[in-house]
Amino acid sequence: DYASSKEFCKKFKAKTKNDWADREEFQSYAGKYTLLEMDYGNDDDDDEENANSGDDSMDEGDEKDVPESTLPKETQDLMKLIWDKDMMTMSMTEIGYDA
């Protein structure tokens, strides 16, 4: 509805100092939210390959001590996303964070 759309645009402007309609030319400001572009494409095959071939900090011998997860697959996928170091590094680079 128009009123909620207008309220969203107003809130977006207040939080980012950018207009929603001009988000293609988004500029980050100190102390304000930054727009992160996300790719929600479905490429599960790549995720499984990366999860199996990634360089974890665990030794190969430690892998045997890790019990099989009993969490639902959706929760496991979320945890993998949250703790994905490559994704975090890429996201921080995209927003211009340099620690």
Side-chain angles (χ1 to χ4, degrees), residues 22-40:
D22 298 328
R23 64 189 174 277
E24 288 79 26
E25 286 87 39
F26 190 92
Q27 279 190 294
S28 296
Y29 294 95
K32 293 293 183 177
Y33 287 4
T34 298
L35 182 66
L36 297 177
E37 304 241 352
M38 301 296 292
D39 180 9
Y40 294 104

Side-chain angles (χ1 to χ4, degrees), residues 24-71:
E24 288 79 26
E25 286 87 39
F26 190 92
Q27 279 190 294
S28 296
Y29 294 95
K32 293 293 183 177
Y33 287 4
T34 298
L35 182 66
L36 297 177
E37 304 241 352
M38 301 296 292
D39 180 9
Y40 294 104
N42 187 11
D43 45 318
D44 290 337
D45 294 339
D46 291 341
D47 291 343
E48 289 176 16
E49 287 175 17
N50 289 340
N52 293 333
S53 66
D55 180 21
D56 293 332
S57 61
M58 294 174 40
D59 294 329
E60 287 184 28
D62 292 342
E63 214 168 297
K64 295 176 186 173
D65 298 331
V66 177
E68 189 69 27
S69 176
T70 58
L71 294 171

